[in-house]
CSV table of all heavy atoms in Angstrom, one decimal:
chain,number,residue,atom,x,y,z
A,34,LEU,N,-2.0,40.7,2.5
A,34,LEU,CA,-2.6,39.4,2.3
A,34,LEU,C,-4.0,39.5,1.8
A,34,LEU,O,-4.8,40.2,2.4
A,34,LEU,CB,-2.6,38.7,3.7
A,34,LEU,CG,-3.1,37.2,3.8
A,34,LEU,CD1,-2.2,36.3,3.0
A,34,LEU,CD2,-3.2,36.8,5.2
A,35,SER,N,-4.2,39.0,0.6
A,35,SER,CA,-5.5,39.2,-0.1
A,35,SER,C,-6.4,38.0,0.4
A,35,SER,O,-6.2,36.9,0.1
A,35,SER,CB,-5.3,39.1,-1.6
A,35,SER,OG,-6.6,39.2,-2.2
A,36,THR,N,-7.5,38.4,1.1
A,36,THR,CA,-8.4,37.4,1.6
A,36,THR,C,-9.6,37.3,0.6
A,36,THR,O,-10.4,36.3,0.7
A,36,THR,CB,-8.9,37.7,3.0
A,36,THR,OG1,-9.5,39.0,3.0
A,36,THR,CG2,-7.8,37.7,4.0
A,37,SER,N,-9.8,38.3,-0.3
A,37,SER,CA,-11.0,38.2,-1.1
A,37,SER,C,-10.8,37.3,-2.3
A,37,SER,O,-11.7,36.6,-2.7
A,37,SER,CB,-11.3,39.6,-1.6
A,37,SER,OG,-10.2,40.2,-2.3
A,38,THR,N,-9.6,37.3,-2.9
A,38,THR,CA,-9.3,36.4,-4.1
A,38,THR,C,-8.1,35.6,-3.8
A,38,THR,O,-7.0,36.0,-4.0
A,38,THR,CB,-9.1,37.2,-5.3
A,38,THR,OG1,-8.0,38.1,-5.1
A,38,THR,CG2,-10.3,38.0,-5.7
A,39,PRO,N,-8.3,34.4,-3.3
A,39,PRO,CA,-7.1,33.5,-3.0
A,39,PRO,C,-6.5,33.1,-4.3
A,39,PRO,O,-7.1,33.0,-5.4
A,39,PRO,CB,-7.7,32.3,-2.3
A,39,PRO,CG,-9.1,32.6,-2.0
A,39,PRO,CD,-9.5,33.8,-2.8
A,40,PRO,N,-5.2,32.9,-4.3
A,40,PRO,CA,-4.5,32.5,-5.6
A,40,PRO,C,-5.0,31.1,-6.0
A,40,PRO,O,-5.6,30.3,-5.3
A,40,PRO,CB,-3.0,32.4,-5.2
A,40,PRO,CG,-3.0,32.2,-3.7
A,40,PRO,CD,-4.3,32.9,-3.2
A,48,ALA,N,-12.7,28.6,-5.9
A,48,ALA,CA,-11.8,29.7,-5.6
A,48,ALA,C,-12.2,30.5,-4.4
A,48,ALA,O,-11.4,31.0,-3.7
A,48,ALA,CB,-11.6,30.6,-6.8
A,49,GLY,N,-13.5,30.6,-4.1
A,49,GLY,CA,-14.0,31.5,-3.1
A,49,GLY,C,-14.3,30.7,-1.8
A,49,GLY,O,-14.8,31.3,-0.8
A,50,SER,N,-14.0,29.5,-1.7
A,50,SER,CA,-14.4,28.7,-0.5
A,50,SER,C,-13.4,28.9,0.7
A,50,SER,O,-12.3,29.4,0.5
A,50,SER,CB,-14.4,27.2,-0.8
A,50,SER,OG,-13.1,26.7,-1.0
A,54,LEU,N,-9.1,29.5,1.2
A,54,LEU,CA,-8.6,30.6,2.0
A,54,LEU,C,-7.7,30.0,3.1
A,54,LEU,O,-6.6,30.6,3.4
A,54,LEU,CB,-9.7,31.4,2.7
A,54,LEU,CG,-9.3,32.6,3.5
A,54,LEU,CD1,-8.5,33.6,2.7
A,54,LEU,CD2,-10.5,33.3,4.1
A,57,GLN,N,-4.4,29.1,1.6
A,57,GLN,CA,-3.6,30.3,1.4
A,57,GLN,C,-2.9,30.8,2.7
A,57,GLN,O,-1.7,31.1,2.7
A,57,GLN,CB,-4.4,31.4,0.8
A,57,GLN,CG,-3.6,32.7,0.5
A,57,GLN,CD,-4.4,33.9,0.2
A,57,GLN,OE1,-5.6,33.8,0.2
A,57,GLN,NE2,-3.7,35.0,-0.1
Side-chain angles (χ1 to χ4, degrees):
L34 186 62
S35 174
T36 57
S37 58
T38 57
S50 73
L54 183 61
Q57 179 191 5

